[in-house]
């Protein structure tokens, strides 16, 4: 049995008891001398309304409690209590974004979902964890799913839409609540976020932009609260990164908690621990959207040299063999440096032989502290011209959070951070203005006549300037002077 508590606004809290018994609650007619049977009568007396949600494995009995007038905000109008004491009929779980449980790390409504219906950047989508595909939902269909009874059979239109997108998934005749999680709308409009679970790593790569790698971060309860706030902000796609996130003590429960909240999770990793059975089991039970693995060489010597860890190549191979056998949705980030530059094609060929997507990265960036020491790891003959920077929605539709809950517009622009644990979701209201300010062409870029053709954003240009990097690395004027 589990107890959950969730706030539904300034004036209402829902308390629920979840168990695996399929026996539905009945209000007993307890006599004056009876020692038992008054539980639901007491719930009815103190709650604004109550009811139950049956599931195939058990049930959830819930009650909504309204705040007293003396505790209510100024101008608050209390919700009238229904003039009835009978049991309310089964209804669709509200699936609030900010639910949390007592005595467990799984949120309210912990049905193992197969599909997610959610708002995303002014649209509505139907997505499947572990799958790259998805479908757009008309607004009226999404609204229908928000109110559908979880025990009702799947509507014919949804059966057809699912079959068209995923031919291995047939939900004909199945209750909607068996497989679908419906995310609620958010007033904040954020669709994506990245979460740096820690800065610690089992490698010491020469090119790493994090600089000092320290195992530190928040206590689990603060991590969980931040994930709740991300969900409340509307985040559907979440990148979990580090450091090496899979070595964090809270990685597994943070991953599962975010997954239960209805997030499509990308794990960015060096792959060295993907052979662990507990991780593979987690990914089987809660499929990731993608697992992005950094690749630092095609042979033991170069790989161990760049990571500065003896045996790192062996760990990588072991992890990749396990990940491929488990059919994880892999994508490789091929990192080309001075140590492995001669193996660029070999790394590409290895990814091709595995049948895995890949992207090649040749240009290193300064550390997040503006340090230029990592730039020496670049292979000059492999450097490539970046595309012209045409803008991004950093701080407006996505954001980054570091291990201490400090939110910034992205991984690069970390100035003017917002403490999510201390300020709460209201702190995000300042993020858009911070983003607009950080993107202004200042600090030597003011008045530049060709700023529209820059190849890097202003925050990244600032890091290059602080690192005293050659202007050709980030500035069009520098490119011209360098020939």
């Amino acid at each position: 049995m589990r107890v959950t508590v969730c706030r539904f606004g300034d004036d209402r809290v829902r308390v629920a008891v979840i168990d695996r018994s399929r026996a539905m609650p009945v209000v007993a007619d307890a006599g004056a001398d009876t020692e038992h049977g008054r539980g639901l009568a007491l719930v009815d007396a103190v709650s604004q309304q109550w009811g139950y949600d049956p599931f195939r494995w058990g049930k959830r009995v819930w009650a909504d409690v309204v705040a007293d007038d003396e505790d209510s905000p100024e101008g608050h109008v209390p919700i009238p209590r229904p003039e009835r004491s009978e049991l309310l009929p089964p209804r669709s779980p509200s699936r609030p974004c900010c639910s949390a449980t007592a005595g467990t790390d799984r949120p309210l409504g912990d049905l193992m979902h197969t599909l997610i219906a959610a708002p995303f950047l002014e649209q509505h989508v139907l997505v499947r964890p572990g799958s790259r595909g998805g479908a757009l939902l008309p607004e009226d269909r999404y609204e229908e799913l928000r109110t559908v009874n979880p025990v009702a059979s799947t509507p014919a239109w949804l059966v057809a839409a699912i079959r068209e997108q995923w031919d291995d998934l047939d939900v004909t005749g199945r209750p909607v609540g068996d497989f679908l999680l419906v995310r609620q709308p958010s007033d904040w409009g954020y669709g994506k976020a990245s979460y740096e679970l820690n800065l610690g790593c089992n490698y010491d790569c020469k090119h790493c932009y994090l600089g000092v790698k320290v195992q530190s971060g928040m206590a689990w309860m603060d991590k969980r609260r931040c994930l709740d706030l991300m969900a409340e902000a509307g985040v559907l796609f979440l990148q979990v990164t580090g450091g090496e996130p899979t070595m964090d003590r809270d990685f597994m429960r943070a991953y599962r908690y975010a997954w239960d909240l209805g997030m499509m999770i990308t794990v960015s990793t060096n792959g060295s621990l993907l052979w662990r059975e507990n991780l593979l089991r987690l990914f089987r039970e809660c499929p990731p959207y993608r697992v992005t693995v950094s690749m630092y060489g095609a042979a033991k010597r170069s790989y161990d040299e760049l990571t500065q860890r003896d045996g790192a190549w062996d760990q990588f191979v072991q992890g990749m063999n396990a990940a491929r056998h488990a059919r994880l949705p892999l994508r490789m980030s091929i990192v080309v440096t001075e140590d492995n530059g001669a193996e660029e094609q070999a790394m590409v060929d290895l990814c091709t032989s595995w049948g895995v997507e890949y992207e090649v990265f040749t240009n290193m960036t300064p550390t997040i502290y503006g340090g230029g020491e990592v730039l020496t790891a670049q292979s000059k003959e492999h450097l490539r011209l970046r595309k012209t920077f045409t803008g991004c929605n950093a701080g407006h539709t996505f954001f980054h959070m570091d291990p201490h809950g400090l939110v910034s517009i992205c991984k690069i622009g970390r100035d003017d951070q917002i403490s999510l644990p201390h300020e709460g979701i209201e702190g995000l209201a300042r993020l858009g203005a911070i983003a607009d300010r950080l993107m202004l062409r200042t600090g030597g870029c003011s008045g530049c006549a060709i700023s529209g053709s820059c190849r890097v954003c202003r925050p990244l240009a600032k890091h290059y300037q602080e690192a005293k990097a050659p202007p050709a690395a980030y500035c069009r004027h520098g490119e011209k002077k360098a020939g």
Side-chain angles (χ1 to χ4, degrees):
M1 183 179 70
R2 297 190 294 106
V3 177
T4 69
V5 180
C6 177
R7 178 177 291 277
F8 273 71
D10 292 333
D11 55 5
R12 188 157 60 101
V13 171
R14 172 164 294 182
V15 181
V17 176
I18 302 164
D19 61 37
R20 295 192 175 276
S21 169
R22 294 182 61 86
M24 294 300 108
V26 177
V27 180
D29 185 14
D33 299 325
T34 307
E35 296 182 358
H36 305 285
R38 295 183 178 82
L40 286 180
L42 290 172
V43 170
D44 181 72
V46 301
S47 65
Q48 185 261 340
Q49 61 179 358
W50 67 278
Y52 67 92
D53 300 319
F55 297 119
R56 68 181 187 276
W57 43 262
K59 66 181 181 297
R60 171 172 56 220
V61 182
W62 52 265
D64 292 346
V65 182
V66 180
D68 293 335
D69 290 348
E70 62 185 19
D71 297 325
S72 301
E74 185 177 353
H76 164 74
V77 178
I79 302 173
R81 189 182 190 279
E83 294 299 323
R84 63 175 185 261
S85 60
E86 71 271 20
L87 182 68
L88 293 176
R91 54 167 288 179
S92 171
S94 298
R95 301 190 187 281
C97 288
C98 55
S99 57
T101 60
T104 177
D105 293 330
R106 299 182 74 86
L108 183 61
D110 67 337
L111 210 54
M112 294 292 284
H113 55 270
T114 305
L115 297 174
I116 303 167
F120 180 67
L121 303 182
E122 300 183 354
Q123 294 180 314
H124 301 89
V125 296
L126 184 68
V127 291
R128 181 182 185 182
S131 170
R132 295 283 298 280
L136 290 177
L137 290 175
E139 185 174 3
D140 60 335
R141 293 302 194 189
Y142 166 73
E143 292 298 332
E144 178 183 340
L145 294 177
R146 286 183 65 196
T147 58
V148 71
N149 191 320
V151 299
S153 294
T154 305
W157 68 264
L158 183 56
V159 172
I162 292 171
R163 184 178 296 143
E164 181 179 355
Q165 186 64 46
W166 300 284
D167 57 12
D168 66 323
L169 191 56
D170 184 6
V171 297
T172 304
R174 291 180 60 186
V176 179
D178 271 7
F179 63 87
L180 182 66
L181 185 151
V182 182
R183 291 281 303 271
Q184 297 299 303
S186 169
D187 294 332
W188 296 92
Y190 288 100
K192 298 182 179 181
S194 54
Y195 177 16
E196 218 163 49
L197 198 54
N198 61 50
L199 297 183
C201 189
N202 52 347
Y203 290 176
D204 188 21
C205 297
K206 298 176 182 179
H207 66 282
C208 183
Y209 75 100
L210 293 178
V212 179
K213 303 174 184 64
V214 180
Q215 280 280 12
S216 63
M218 298 178 285
W220 165 241
M221 292 303 294
D222 288 329
K223 291 177 181 175
R224 192 172 76 171
R225 178 166 181 263
C226 285
L227 289 170
D228 283 331
L229 294 174
M230 285 183 171
E232 187 177 349
V235 172
L236 177 60
F237 291 90
L238 176 67
Q239 179 194 27
V240 180
T241 182
E244 174 48 44
T246 62
M247 63 181 288
D248 188 88
R249 64 182 181 182
D250 290 324
F251 170 77
M252 293 186 63
R253 57 179 173 175
Y255 176 98
R256 187 181 291 274
Y257 193 80
W259 195 93
D260 283 336
L261 287 170
M263 296 187 193
M264 299 283 283
I265 305 173
T266 292
V267 179
S268 295
T269 174
N270 59 34
S272 62
L273 302 178
L274 291 180
W275 53 270
R276 289 185 172 178
E277 180 54 36
N278 57 353
L279 285 179
L280 296 174
R281 182 170 57 253
L282 173 67
F283 293 151
R284 283 195 301 269
E285 295 174 356
C286 306
Y289 172 68
R290 180 184 289 157
V291 177
T292 301
V293 182
S294 298
M295 188 175 190
Y296 302 129
K300 180 176 177 61
R301 180 175 179 180
S302 60
Y303 194 100
D304 289 4
E305 178 64 27
L306 179 59
T307 60
Q308 301 187 97
R309 287 290 185 269
D310 291 338
W313 167 258
D314 298 328
Q315 287 184 305
F316 168 74
V317 171
Q318 185 180 11
M320 285 303 300
N321 287 340
R324 288 165 52 227
H325 184 265
R327 298 185 181 277
L328 295 183
L330 296 169
R331 183 173 185 176
M332 308 302 293
S333 293
I334 297 175
V335 179
V336 180
T337 68
E338 187 70 24
D339 288 316
N340 65 17
E343 299 172 7
E344 178 181 359
Q345 188 58 50
M347 288 189 281
V348 169
D349 291 342
L350 192 54
C351 292
T352 302
S353 69
W354 288 340
V356 175
E357 296 180 27
Y358 65 87
E359 189 172 359
V360 178
F361 296 89
T362 59
N363 297 43
M364 306 299 114
T365 62
T367 69
I368 58 177
Y369 311 106
E373 62 275 11
V374 297
L375 299 179
T376 59
Q378 293 181 132
S379 173
K380 294 182 179 179
E381 61 188 75
H382 288 87
L383 293 179
R384 299 171 184 171
L385 282 179
R386 292 184 172 95
K387 296 179 181 179
T388 300
F389 177 73
T390 57
C392 71
N393 287 324
H396 293 281
T397 61
F398 68 90
F399 59 84
H400 175 73
M401 187 175 76
D402 79 359
H404 303 284
L406 299 179
V407 168
S408 56
I409 67 170
C410 64
K411 299 175 187 176
I412 301 298
R414 301 191 185 218
D415 291 341
D416 300 328
Q417 293 173 305
I418 296 165
S419 176
L420 202 56
H422 291 97
E423 296 189 41
I425 198 167
E426 291 77 13
L428 296 180
R430 297 191 286 111
L431 201 54
I434 292 173
D436 293 341
R437 184 171 64 254
L438 294 182
M439 288 295 179
L440 293 175
R441 293 291 169 178
T442 57
C445 297
S446 302
C448 176
I450 59 173
S451 61
S453 63
C454 286
R455 301 190 190 278
V456 300
C457 64
R458 177 57 200 152
L460 182 53
K462 180 183 177 184
H463 279 318
Y464 276 114
Q465 290 170 330
E466 291 172 344
K468 297 183 172 23
Y474 62 93
C475 177
R476 294 301 302 275
H477 291 291
E479 287 179 23
K480 292 181 179 181
K481 290 180 181 179

